[in-house]
Amino acid sequence: MNYYIKRTQHVLMLVFTLTLFSGCSTTGIDEDSEEYAKWPAEKLYAEAQKEIKTGDYETAVEYLENLESRFPFGKLADQAQLDTAFAYYKFQEYDSSIAAADRFIKLHPSHPNVDYAYYLRGLAAFHKKDTPFDNLVEQDPSEKDPSSTRDSFKYFAELVKKFPNSKYRADAIERMKFQRNTLAKHELKIAGYYMKRGAYVAAVNRAKYVVENYPQTPAIPEALRLLSQAYSQLKMNDLANDTNRVLQLNYPDVTKPTKTESDE
């Protein structure tokens, strides 16, 4: 019993200590000092870049946001906005990075580096975790909530479409290929889930969605196989046989699906 009392006391002391210091700046910046208030934009930007190089992205964000608020029309304000999105990304504050990149795109649609904002937005969504459990265990990407993957794909697609000469285009395309495969596999898993539970109409809809929206992905053969099986279970044998023929013609190495009743 004494163990639990001592442990409770220890926890309470820890909470008290954290509360005591919660009002203090975690970055070491005394924003109320007269010296800091006199810093010019160039010094704020230089200090921010120094913190980025050392990996203190939280402090870098404070410098950059302070720069923008004090010198909104200065020559460094635009770059500070873009660097803020980057610092948030490196700090793994992905929602904040996306918001900062969005803001930059809206305010500076013709900026010579706006393509980087589109790219950074896609990267942030690419790495974003949709649930607290994403970091706990290694997991097949196709088994996770696909919301951020869809967002990232959309952001990269905008970059590729609007900036055909961007130096970030090639990497964006490669990431989009991976995302298409992941999204197709995710839909396939749902189709398989419906098949196991006898929800054959729902399985057909999911499998058809994969075939129609994710052509030329590795998921297509399995989607056709599931589609054939679902049609067979629904006694739609003509469609099942047609799907079988498409599967065997285009993917002869795939295991032959189960025969329909009309084949027997």
Side-chain angles (χ1 to χ4, degrees):
M1 192 69 174
N2 290 335
Y3 167 79
Y4 293 104
I5 293 174
K6 290 179 180 179
R7 183 173 178 82
T8 301
Q9 291 174 338
H10 176 74
V11 171
L12 289 174
M13 284 297 295
L14 178 61
V15 171
F16 174 77
T17 302
L18 291 173
T19 304
L20 183 65
F21 289 101
S22 63
C24 301
S25 173
T26 59
T27 62
I29 301 174
D30 185 1
E31 297 183 2
D32 297 324
S33 70
E34 291 185 13
E35 180 185 357
Y36 182 69
K38 294 178 182 178
W39 281 12
E42 289 76 13
K43 182 170 177 58
L44 284 168
Y45 188 76
E47 290 297 322
Q49 296 307 305
K50 186 186 301 182
E51 299 300 339
I52 287 175
K53 289 180 180 178
T54 61
D56 189 352
Y57 302 110
E58 186 178 13
T59 302
V61 166
E62 293 215 21
Y63 283 135
L64 292 166
E65 290 183 340
N66 192 282
L67 186 162
E68 186 188 353
S69 66
R70 287 172 53 192
F71 306 98
F73 305 109
K75 62 181 180 180
L76 290 175
D78 296 353
Q79 189 60 44
Q81 291 173 14
L82 193 56
D83 289 354
T84 297
F86 171 76
Y88 271 128
Y89 167 70
K90 296 295 289 185
F91 193 47
Q92 297 183 14
E93 290 287 343
Y94 299 123
D95 282 327
S96 296
S97 178
I98 292 169
D102 267 333
R103 181 167 175 266
F104 184 87
I105 290 168
K106 290 175 182 177
L107 291 175
H108 312 288
S110 302
H111 193 279
N113 295 326
V114 71
D115 62 328
Y116 180 66
Y118 280 87
Y119 177 66
L120 193 56
R121 192 174 58 169
L123 282 181
F126 185 84
H127 292 288
K128 180 184 171 184
K129 308 300 180 184
D130 290 299
T131 72
F133 304 103
D134 287 348
N135 286 320
L136 296 181
V137 293
E138 287 296 326
Q139 192 177 12
D140 185 331
S142 66
E143 295 177 351
K144 298 179 182 179
D145 184 336
S147 301
S148 290
T149 300
R150 290 195 182 101
D151 287 342
S152 180
F153 185 90
K154 180 183 70 175
Y155 296 149
F156 283 137
E158 288 182 36
L159 167 66
V160 170
K161 181 179 180 180
K162 292 184 177 182
F163 305 96
N165 299 318
S166 172
K167 64 181 179 181
Y168 307 108
R169 188 174 186 271
D171 185 68
I173 290 173
E174 287 303 310
R175 291 179 186 273
M176 288 171 67
K177 290 178 182 177
F178 172 80
Q179 289 166 331
R180 277 172 56 82
N181 292 343
T182 298
L183 291 171
K185 193 175 179 181
H186 177 78
E187 294 293 330
L188 207 55
K189 286 182 182 294
I190 297 175
Y193 171 86
Y194 285 138
M195 281 294 296
K196 289 179 181 179
R197 280 153 183 75
Y200 302 120
V201 173
V204 164
N205 291 334
R206 288 288 182 167
K208 283 179 65 178
Y209 184 85
V210 173
V211 173
E212 293 170 358
N213 292 276
Y214 302 109
Q216 300 177 342
T217 62
I220 294 299
E222 179 62 14
L224 289 170
R225 190 182 70 82
L226 283 175
L227 192 56
S228 174
Q229 289 182 342
Y231 279 141
S232 181
Q233 292 293 334
L234 291 168
K235 311 301 181 185
M236 303 172 72
N237 295 323
D238 287 344
L239 288 173
N241 290 331
D242 288 344
T243 305
N244 280 348
R245 282 190 285 271
V246 171
L247 176 62
Q248 293 168 30
L249 178 64
N250 292 279
Y251 305 96
D253 295 332
V254 176
T255 303
K256 188 176 180 180
T258 304
K259 292 183 179 180
T260 63
E261 291 182 0
S262 63
D263 289 326
E264 295 176 351

